[in-house]
Amino acid sequence: MPTEYISDYTRCPELNDYATRTFGPGAAPGDVIVDFANWAADLVESRGKRPRVRNDGFDPPGILTTKPELVVQYWSAGAGGLP
């Protein structure tokens, strides 16, 4: 399913399966996105840059949080973004 980002996690149940297997029973599909963003942020920081990411894909919240150094730019109304 080609898409810029996932807005309907029910279309990708494998993300939920992976999240609960990897992060535990309280995990949600958005945790997979957060984990990837944190991993990528580490790479960016290792090159002396400041990581930034759009908030798309972080909803609904799960058990993981983004690293404090990762600047999340809110472009939509989810996860504490625009009203």
Side-chain angles (χ1 to χ4, degrees):
M1 162 188 19
T3 181
E4 180 180 353
Y5 65 93
I6 297 169
S7 60
D8 180 5
Y9 289 119
T10 62
R11 295 177 62 194
C12 297
E14 61 273 13
L15 284 178
N16 190 59
D17 295 341
Y18 177 83
T20 55
R21 271 194 332 270
T22 305
F23 307 116
D31 288 313
V32 177
I33 307 301
V34 171
D35 184 57
F36 175 77
N38 286 338
W39 171 81
D42 287 340
L43 292 177
V44 171
E45 289 177 310
S46 75
R47 288 157 176 80
K49 303 294 182 180
R50 186 163 189 189
R52 295 177 184 270
V53 64
R54 292 190 310 181
N55 69 311
D56 299 324
F58 290 157
D59 301 327
I63 60 173
L64 299 183
T65 58
T66 56
K67 313 172 38 130
E69 301 83 7
L70 179 60
V71 176
V72 179
Q73 298 175 320
Y74 285 90
W75 293 67
S76 62
L82 302 172

